């Protein structure tokens, strides 16, 4: 992956050449859309945020350092900032309708394609919901490693923190999730599969697949 990504000079070269930027966009748009789809459930929002992330690349291309991780990891760092900014913007709005002001109209095919992506990434959104109880720093590291599948090195680079800090936060997050699961397990009564699937995300025991990742090792 790295060799293909770093051909032709990476993001810095791409922003100077429209043809290279189109190649860069095509190389990474699916990964960025998956990242966004794990965090929002509206196709218009997903389309807008994906576009904003690539616009942000134009201002941030100079910050990419290949030795710190892949282009994808770097893009995820930008994506986190864009998604966080959108969440803060929405929180300040008094009326939900303001979220849709000034947006381009999506074609029916666009909406269907993005809805398919949102459906495919619904397990990721449930996993992120299970992390909501963690402190912000630990949650951020766990998201990128357990859900977005970055290495510890890449997650540290995306968050702008030292690798040792990322490892400490990852260890604390996994310990907290294991303790939460151990506490809830005796209290949980058997329930039909339908009852479990309809409970609010994050309201019960953390997602089992996420806990499995929490018990495993992290890539360097």
């Amino acid at each position: 992956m790295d060799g293909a990504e770093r051909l032709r000079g990476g993001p810095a070269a791409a922003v100077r050449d429209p043809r290279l930027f189109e190649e860069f966009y095509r190389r990474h748009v699916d990964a960025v859309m998956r990242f966004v789809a794990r965090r929002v459930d509206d196709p218009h929002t997903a389309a807008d945020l994906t576009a904003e992330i690539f616009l942000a690349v134009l201002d941030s291309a100079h910050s990419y350092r290949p030795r710190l991780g892949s282009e994808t990891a770097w893009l995820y760092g930008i994506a986190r900032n864009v998604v966080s900014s959108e969440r803060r913007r929405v929180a300040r709005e008094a009326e939900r309708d303001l979220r849709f002001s000034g947006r381009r109209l999506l074609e029916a095919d666009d909406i269907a394609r993005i809805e398919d992506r949102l459906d495919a990434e619904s397990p990721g959104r449930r996993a992120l919901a299970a992390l909501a109880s963690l402190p912000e720093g630990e949650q951020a590291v766990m998201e990128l490693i357990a859900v977005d599948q970055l290495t510890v090195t890449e997650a540290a680079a995306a968050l702008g923190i030292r690798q040792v800090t990322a490892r400490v936060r990852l260890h604390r997050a996994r310990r907290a999730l294991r303790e939460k699961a151990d506490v809830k397990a005796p209290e949980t009564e058997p329930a039909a599969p339908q009852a479990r699937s309809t409970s609010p995300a994050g309201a019960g025991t953390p997602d089992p697949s996420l806990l499995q990742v929490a018990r495993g090792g992290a890539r360097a």
Side-chain angles (χ1 to χ4, degrees), residues 7-218:
L7 290 175
R8 303 191 174 207
V15 298
R16 295 192 297 267
D17 184 328
R19 185 170 56 87
L20 292 182
F21 189 81
E22 182 177 356
E23 291 179 7
F24 178 87
Y25 174 86
R26 292 183 183 278
R27 187 160 67 240
H28 294 296
V29 65
D30 285 344
V32 170
M33 177 61 78
R34 288 195 299 270
F35 180 96
V36 172
R38 286 191 283 269
R39 289 159 173 83
V40 303
D41 58 6
D42 173 71
H44 291 85
T45 302
D48 286 353
L49 290 178
T50 300
E52 288 179 25
I53 289 163
F54 282 99
L55 287 175
V57 167
L58 300 176
D59 295 326
S60 305
H62 65 280
S63 69
Y64 175 59
R65 299 291 183 269
R67 62 183 176 80
L68 297 179
S70 65
E71 288 178 0
T72 301
W74 175 74
L75 276 168
Y76 281 2
I78 294 174
R80 277 186 56 83
N81 291 335
V82 171
V83 172
S84 295
S85 295
E86 170 66 5
R87 287 172 174 167
R88 289 192 295 270
R89 183 185 72 84
V90 170
R92 289 194 299 265
E93 292 177 350
E95 299 292 335
R96 179 180 173 85
D97 288 345
L98 293 178
R99 295 181 62 189
F100 302 97
S101 62
R103 292 185 173 178
R104 68 182 179 88
L105 296 177
L106 294 177
E107 299 291 339
D109 288 347
D110 292 332
I111 294 177
R113 175 177 54 81
I114 297 174
E115 285 178 339
D116 287 343
R117 175 65 68 190
L118 293 172
D119 288 342
E121 297 301 333
S122 59
R125 291 196 298 277
R126 290 195 297 271
L128 291 173
L131 296 175
S133 62
L134 295 174
E136 182 177 354
E138 296 168 17
Q139 180 179 345
V141 171
M142 196 66 177
E143 282 185 9
L144 291 174
I145 293 174
V147 182
D148 297 311
Q149 297 297 296
L150 295 188
T151 65
V152 174
T153 300
E154 291 173 334
L159 296 170
I161 60 178
R162 296 183 301 164
Q163 289 185 42
V164 65
T165 303
R167 290 186 182 280
V168 169
R169 292 180 181 178
L170 178 64
H171 173 73
R172 289 175 177 170
R174 284 176 166 161
R175 182 177 61 188
L177 288 175
R178 287 195 298 266
E179 290 174 351
K180 183 176 180 180
D182 289 343
V183 168
K184 285 184 173 290
E187 301 173 355
T188 302
E189 297 180 358
Q194 294 86 347
R196 289 196 184 101
S197 63
T198 56
S199 60
T205 303
D207 188 277
S209 62
L210 183 61
L211 288 178
Q212 182 176 359
V213 175
R215 294 189 178 99

